[in-house]
Amino acid sequence: MGYPLYKRIQADIRNRIEIGELKQGDLVPSEKELAEQYEVSQITSKNALNGLVEEGLLVRYRGKGTFVRELAELHEPMIQANMNKTIALILPSMKTKIDQQLLDGLERYCADMELELLIRITRESQEQESRAIEYYRKRGVDGFIVFPVEQDSYSNAILRLSLDRVPLVLVDRFLKEIRTYSVSSDNSGGTRAAISSLLDAGHGRIAYISPEITNTVTDERAKGFEAAFLERGLPIDKTLWCMLDLETIAQGSGQGAVTRFLDEHRDVTAVFAVNAELARYAHHAMRDVWADDGERPQLASFDDPGLEDVPHVRQQLDDICRRSVELLSEQLNGTYEPRREVLPVKWSWPQ
């Protein structure tokens, strides 16, 4: 509502570049072509292209057209502006391979952009998250990249960062009520694709293993599961949903809870776990429950659990890291256009 048309064109072009539809050096549609496509005046489409040229994303060559700027040229102005700036990276844990890949990618892209990085691990404590944010604000850091803890509400410290317009990018989560910058995967679409594939393979009774729904990630993945059934007009049996409270997982009791659940639901033909940790719980539980009798259900998961023959949804973690740092740099360079960017995922069966 009230979003200028030229900004919509700009957002679409940025997205086409992000997903690889428009690559470095590619010719961008002309002002006339954009005007026809979006049913706007050529003045509007010209303003859209001019803004992206001024931003440094596109470059114009007289008599040839407008092109996506080459990477080295694209990042040079940002690198110059970022020098001597410090960023606080706040992560909830370092337990999983996903955590490690995110840290590696974010550190690498910050280094490429000449940003000094300070790191704090909150160990899934919202109190520690708030303390870390307040501590780094007092130290005068220039911006934040925050991977929020798994809680049913965001800390006041995160809300204050957003309301005060401190350069901030949320990774994997987003604020529903407040506009801020965030980068996340297509949680709903990825889960929908996975469950649709299992249904197409003949699995009617699919167990769903998830933490309790306390944040946007668990909420979107649950909605993706439901969407796959609803698209086929199939009923959703939530007695097959194993929802683990965060305290059970934190205390190390998740494995036992999943084993007990599957033992009580031996008629399931497939099990979908919403993250790699729960997929490993389910794998061990299935070995115990179906040790001697019957064929084990098909296990699938969101993220690679590191198990053989387990189909999974693969996030584009390097793209998440790159885009998070680029959006933070955008803010450090004086632009403030908060938005949520959702990056595609890939669902695949093992070859």
Side-chain angles (χ1 to χ4, degrees):
M1 193 92 174
Y3 195 60
L5 289 172
Y6 80 92
K7 286 187 176 293
R8 178 184 156 207
I9 297 173
Q10 290 176 337
D12 286 352
I13 291 175
R14 287 193 193 96
N15 184 61
R16 290 177 65 187
I17 293 171
E18 289 307 314
I19 66 176
E21 186 179 326
L22 283 173
K23 298 180 174 59
Q24 297 172 45
D26 280 358
L27 178 66
V28 175
S30 67
E31 295 168 7
K32 182 179 179 181
E33 290 169 333
L34 289 173
E36 292 174 352
Q37 179 183 345
Y38 290 90
E39 298 181 345
V40 297
S41 68
Q42 279 194 225
I43 294 177
T44 298
S45 58
K46 181 178 181 179
N47 287 339
L49 291 179
N50 284 345
L52 293 175
V53 169
E54 291 173 5
E55 186 180 310
L57 191 64
L58 306 180
V59 60
R60 274 206 175 101
Y61 295 108
R62 186 180 297 275
K64 294 183 179 180
T66 306
F67 298 80
V68 180
R69 190 182 290 273
E70 297 292 336
L71 186 61
E73 298 175 333
L74 176 62
H75 283 164
E76 187 59 34
M78 285 187 174
I79 291 173
Q80 293 298 321
N82 287 341
M83 291 182 70
N84 301 317
K85 290 187 177 177
T86 302
I87 303 304
L89 170 60
I90 300 176
L91 299 164
S93 71
M94 215 19 65
K95 296 187 300 184
T96 70
K97 185 178 179 181
I98 300 295
D99 296 331
Q100 295 159 11
Q101 289 175 309
L102 284 171
L103 174 58
D104 178 74
L106 290 167
E107 191 281 331
R108 175 161 39 85
Y109 283 110
C110 281
D112 288 345
M113 298 294 284
E114 298 288 345
L115 292 166
E116 182 181 352
L117 193 63
L118 302 174
I119 300 168
R120 179 68 59 87
I121 298 172
T122 61
R123 292 166 180 81
E124 291 291 0
S125 166
Q126 193 170 79
E127 181 181 356
Q128 291 298 322
E129 179 182 85
S130 294
R131 287 182 180 177
I133 291 172
E134 293 302 327
Y135 171 75
Y136 285 126
R137 286 199 74 171
K138 289 178 181 177
R139 284 196 56 176
V141 300
D142 297 289
F144 289 82
I145 297 175
V146 182
F147 192 134
V149 300
E150 291 195 62
Q151 296 289 339
D152 56 2
S153 63
Y154 290 92
S155 68
N156 288 333
I158 289 180
L159 295 175
R160 282 197 297 272
L161 286 177
S162 181
L163 293 172
D164 293 344
R165 294 195 175 187
V166 175
L168 165 69
V169 176
L170 297 180
V171 179
D172 200 45
R173 315 265 202 273
F174 65 96
L175 299 176
K176 290 184 178 180
E177 296 83 12
I178 299 176
R179 293 183 69 227
T180 191
Y181 284 84
S182 69
V183 180
S184 57
S185 292
D186 185 1
N187 294 299
S188 178
T191 304
R192 185 176 68 249
I195 302 305
S196 295
S197 181
L198 292 172
L199 290 171
D200 290 343
H203 296 288
R205 293 185 62 76
I206 304 172
Y208 184 69
I209 314 294
S210 172
E212 59 185 330
I213 297 175
T214 60
N215 55 54
T216 54
V217 173
T218 48
D219 180 51
E220 289 185 325
R221 292 181 188 178
K223 287 178 179 175
F225 182 100
E226 293 173 339
F229 276 79
L230 294 174
E231 286 169 356
R232 289 162 173 74
L234 298 173
I236 301 168
D237 184 356
K238 289 199 174 180
T239 65
L240 299 182
W241 285 33
C242 177
M243 309 299 287
L244 304 176
D245 62 75
L246 299 182
E247 186 176 356
T248 295
I249 297 173
Q251 292 176 345
S253 304
Q255 176 71 70
V258 172
T259 300
R260 288 190 296 274
F261 176 84
L262 291 178
D263 192 35
E264 295 169 1
H265 298 83
R266 287 171 171 256
D267 60 338
V268 300
T269 62
V271 177
F272 181 79
V274 302
N275 61 43
E277 181 180 19
L278 294 185
R280 289 191 291 272
Y281 287 172
H283 174 72
H284 291 298
M286 288 161 56
R287 288 195 307 180
D288 292 338
V289 174
W290 286 272
D292 302 314
D293 58 333
E295 185 176 344
R296 293 176 188 169
Q298 172 67 59
L299 176 61
S301 74
F302 205 107
D303 289 330
D304 183 2
L307 300 168
E308 190 175 355
D309 298 327
V310 176
H312 57 272
V313 178
R314 186 180 298 277
Q315 300 187 69
Q316 307 303 303
L317 296 177
D318 191 72
D319 288 345
I320 289 174
C321 296
R322 175 181 55 79
R323 194 63 189 135
S324 296
V325 175
E326 288 175 348
L327 290 179
L328 192 66
S329 293
E330 175 181 305
Q331 296 169 74
L332 294 172
N333 280 270
T335 298
Y336 186 76
E337 296 178 0
R339 58 193 182 273
R340 182 191 179 199
E341 297 206 356
V342 180
L343 303 186
V345 296
K346 296 179 181 179
W347 160 255
S348 61
W349 289 84
Q351 298 297 318

